[in-house]
Amino acid sequence: MPNVDIYSLRNDSGEWVAFIGLSQNYIEMLFVRPDEMGKGLGSLMVEFAVKERRIRKVDVNEQNHRALGFYRKHGFSIVGRDGSDAYGKPYPHITS
């Protein structure tokens, strides 16, 4: 992914537990290892994206209720929607 900067977090054992991919304007991806969810790692990464990189945009599949709620909790709001994702698949997403 040539236009995406990847930032990651590791646990005390050195294992990767989370990563975020940021383009110039968007949070392109965010992943937290399932056994590490609920520990604030995703929040830490989104706060980094917003405060340090000044990114305020993310596309969220509206069928992913957990992700949609997560981003809304972090101050993102719905500003538009499309009938398919970035790859043309029929999964509506919401631009926050």
Side-chain angles (χ1 to χ4, degrees):
M1 295 183 195
N3 297 321
V4 177
D5 297 325
I6 304 291
Y7 300 89
S8 64
L9 295 174
R10 296 177 187 247
N11 63 16
D12 292 338
S13 300
E15 301 169 313
W16 289 4
V17 293
F19 70 84
I20 191 168
L22 307 175
S23 66
Q24 184 174 341
N25 298 315
Y26 278 88
I27 296 173
E28 297 288 348
M29 62 191 80
L30 174 63
F31 174 80
V32 177
R33 205 168 78 182
D35 61 325
E36 297 288 339
M37 288 182 174
K39 298 180 180 179
L41 301 175
S43 295
L44 183 67
M45 301 198 97
V46 168
E47 289 170 13
F48 167 78
V50 171
K51 290 179 182 174
E52 300 297 323
R53 296 283 306 269
R54 301 188 185 272
I55 294 174
R56 296 293 300 155
K57 296 179 182 178
V58 62
D59 284 342
V60 179
N61 183 322
E62 75 178 328
Q63 296 169 351
N64 187 342
H65 300 287
R66 186 173 186 175
L68 181 58
F70 172 81
Y71 286 110
R72 292 185 81 174
K73 179 180 108 177
H74 288 283
F76 290 80
S77 59
I78 298 168
V79 297
R81 78 184 314 145
D82 289 324
S84 60
D85 66 12
Y87 301 101
K89 297 194 181 217
Y91 300 105
H93 66 275
I94 295 170
T95 304
S96 300

